[in-house]
Amino acid sequence: MLTASQVYTYTRRILDAYAAVMQPLSAELDMAQNAVDILLFLANNPGLDTARDICTYRKLKPGIVSFHVDNLVREGYLLRTRDPGDRRRCRLVCTDKAAPIVARGQALQEQFVAQMSAGLAPDALETFQHCLTAFAQNLDRMANREES
């Protein structure tokens, strides 16, 4: 039986391994890992394109997101655009300048998943995906109860 301690330990190991895979790109670009993660989040999640979305789904503090978004805009990697349906809402759009970083980051993400799942049969990966989906739904319900 899986324990809470094991879940925490496996989760930390996944996050640490992911950071280790992504770190060389961040170092080469002389760009904070959170900045690279923001670009990848926006590229990988169409429709989730606000600072609030980044805070919610990446679990980053608003001040950190604001700092990195400001830098990414100033450096030409992101554009802020107004939402036509709500002028108070600001959408974030990756620019053409961000495209090579996004492509390299996505390749590293694919490499990470391939290395992490090496030796597993396709049906085992399908079961794992099913488990992750169920975990996410259960965790969302747990989080929504805590917010109420």
Side-chain angles (χ1 to χ4, degrees):
M1 183 66 153
L2 192 61
T3 66
S5 177
Q6 289 172 316
V7 170
Y8 178 82
T9 300
Y10 290 136
T11 302
R12 285 293 341 153
R13 290 177 71 185
I14 291 169
L15 292 172
D16 290 347
Y18 178 81
V21 167
M22 299 304 287
Q23 192 280 330
L25 177 61
S26 179
E28 178 187 328
L29 297 169
D30 195 27
M31 185 180 284
Q33 186 59 53
N34 282 333
V36 175
D37 287 343
I38 287 169
L39 291 175
L40 289 169
F41 176 84
L42 293 168
N44 291 336
N45 298 283
L48 298 176
D49 55 4
T50 67
R52 177 175 292 214
D53 292 331
I54 296 166
C55 293
T56 300
Y57 292 97
R58 294 290 294 146
K59 301 299 183 200
L60 295 172
K61 295 182 190 281
I64 291 171
V65 172
S66 179
F67 173 80
H68 290 296
V69 166
D70 286 346
N71 287 343
L72 290 165
V73 168
R74 188 174 53 254
E75 294 169 11
Y77 296 108
L78 284 180
L79 290 175
R80 287 186 177 104
T81 62
R82 291 282 172 219
D83 184 326
D86 183 351
R87 62 181 174 79
R88 296 167 298 170
R89 185 176 301 222
C90 183
R91 302 268 177 211
L92 301 170
V93 179
C94 292
T95 65
D96 290 341
K97 183 176 180 181
I101 295 170
V102 167
R104 290 176 58 204
Q106 288 172 329
L108 288 172
Q109 288 175 327
E110 289 176 19
Q111 173 190 338
F112 169 75
V113 171
Q115 289 177 338
M116 185 175 76
S117 60
L120 294 174
D123 61 328
L125 289 173
E126 189 175 320
T127 300
F128 181 62
Q129 177 65 53
H130 175 76
C131 291
L132 288 175
T133 300
F135 289 164
Q137 291 168 348
N138 293 337
L139 293 167
D140 286 345
R141 277 194 294 277
M142 291 165 60
N144 288 336
R145 268 191 240 128
E146 288 177 7
E147 292 172 4
S148 299

